[in-house]
């Protein structure tokens, strides 16, 4: 899992203000009282917050990839199991998010004598996924890896330009080291931000084999955004 990057969150400094016992951010003017007099029914107070957005031009970016949690199950002695997605709480600090969001932004435009409309793109892209080896978190490798697979079943998403790229429903088999198409744009589709959510039971499921020893199992999913589609990818 060395390819995974560890994301750090910024620490928030706090201080106790006055005798109210309320904790405030170091750079904030809050909490602030409506009056300096106790039990006063007069006065008002305001606070300022921040709204932000970043606009880019000329780049193709992978913005978000989802973690997937298939919950808790009893061992099956006789048959393989299929487990629906429960939530998006990952075990490992990596690039995965807990909202189930898969997002790509394409702000590229190609020109050939005249500017291309910002609602289209002539530079198709391809997003693939590869499922790594499932293993117990204690390091024990899983037997019969081919019995383990994640089925991506989401059939819809949103595109900010109204031109949704093609969305696929691949079966990602553990340990086969094969890229599978998840999304692919063509001329006229995929420009702007494309968002797909894998956060409900019917959007993904896990196949696993019988007689799996008790333990916590995990596998990396590698999401790869290609600036030019690879025709050999299924």
């Amino acid at each position: 899992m060395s390819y995974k990057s560890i994301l750090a969150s910024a620490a928030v400094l706090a201080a106790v203000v006055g005798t109210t016992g309320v904790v405030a951010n170091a750079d904030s003017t809050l909490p602030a009282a409506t009056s300096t007099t106790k039990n006063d029914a007069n006065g008002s107070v305001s606070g300022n917050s921040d709204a932000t957005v970043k606009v880019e031009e000329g780049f193709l970016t992978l913005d978000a990839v989802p973690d997937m949690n298939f919950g808790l199950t009893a061992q099956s002695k006789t048959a393989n199991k299929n487990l629906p997605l429960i939530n998006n709480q990952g075990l490992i600090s990596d690039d995965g998010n807990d909202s189930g969001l898969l997002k790509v932004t394409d702000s590229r435009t190609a020109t050939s004598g005249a500017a291309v409309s910002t609602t289209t793109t002539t530079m198709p892209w391809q997003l693939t996924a590869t499922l790594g080896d499932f293993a117990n978190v204690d390091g024990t490798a899983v037997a019969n890896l081919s019995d383990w697979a994640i089925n991506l079943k989401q059939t819809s998403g949103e595109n900010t330009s109204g031109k949704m790229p093609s969305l696929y429903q691949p079966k990602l088999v553990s340990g086969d080291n094969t890229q599978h198409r998840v999304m692919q744009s063509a001329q006229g589709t995929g420009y702007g931000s494309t968002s797909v959510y894998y956060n409900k039971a019917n959007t993904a499921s896990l196949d696993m084999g019988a007689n799996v020893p008790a333990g916590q199992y995990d596998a990396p999913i590698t999401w790869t955004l290609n600036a030019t589609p690879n025709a050999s990818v299924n």
Side-chain angles (χ1 to χ4, degrees), residues 68 70 81-83 85 131 149-154 169-173 198 201-208:
M68 296 186 181
F70 298 94
K81 281 192 168 187
N82 179 263
L83 306 175
L85 182 68
L131 180 61
I150 292 177
N151 306 286
L152 300 182
K153 301 188 287 185
Q154 178 63 276
Q169 294 79 45
K171 180 175 184 176
L172 313 179
V173 179
Y198 296 91
N202 62 350
T203 61
S205 66
L206 172 68
D207 295 336
M208 62 180 293

Side-chain angles (χ1 to χ4, degrees), residues 55-71:
V55 178
E56 67 178 16
E57 182 179 5
F59 295 95
L60 177 66
T61 60
L62 180 60
D63 301 333
V65 295
D67 282 328
M68 296 186 181
N69 186 343
F70 298 94

Side-chain angles (χ1 to χ4, degrees), residues 67-227:
D67 282 328
M68 296 186 181
N69 186 343
F70 298 94
L72 179 69
T73 186
Q75 184 187 61
S76 173
K77 297 291 187 181
T78 58
N80 292 0
K81 281 192 168 187
N82 179 263
L83 306 175
L85 182 68
I86 299 298
N87 59 46
N88 302 100
Q89 297 175 356
L91 281 180
I92 300 171
S93 295
D94 55 17
D95 297 319
N97 64 74
D98 61 4
S99 65
L101 175 62
L102 177 64
K103 184 180 178 183
V104 172
T105 296
D106 188 6
S107 62
R108 304 169 300 165
T109 56
T111 57
S112 56
V116 175
S117 167
T118 56
T119 60
T120 64
T121 176
T122 58
M123 304 178 72
W125 51 264
Q126 181 186 72
L127 180 69
T128 66
T130 303
L131 180 61
D133 295 0
F134 264 96
N136 195 312
V137 294
D138 67 7
T140 305
V142 168
N144 302 320
L145 274 174
S146 61
D147 289 341
W148 296 68
I150 292 177
N151 306 286
L152 300 182
K153 301 188 287 185
Q154 178 63 276
T155 59
S156 63
E158 295 183 354
N159 176 267
T160 55
S161 68
K163 304 290 184 180
M164 185 70 188
S166 296
L167 181 60
Y168 297 82
Q169 294 79 45
K171 180 175 184 176
L172 313 179
V173 179
S174 181
D176 73 354
N177 298 313
T178 300
Q179 293 187 23
H180 297 275
R181 279 188 299 184
V182 179
M183 285 193 286
Q184 185 165 311
S185 74
Q187 183 172 345
T189 69
Y191 185 86
S193 292
T194 300
S195 299
V196 179
Y197 281 90
Y198 296 91
N199 59 359
K200 296 181 180 179
N202 62 350
T203 61
S205 66
L206 172 68
D207 295 336
M208 62 180 293
N211 297 307
V212 175
Q216 180 75 58
Y217 295 85
D218 181 74
I221 307 173
T222 302
W223 307 86
T224 303
L225 179 60
N226 299 297

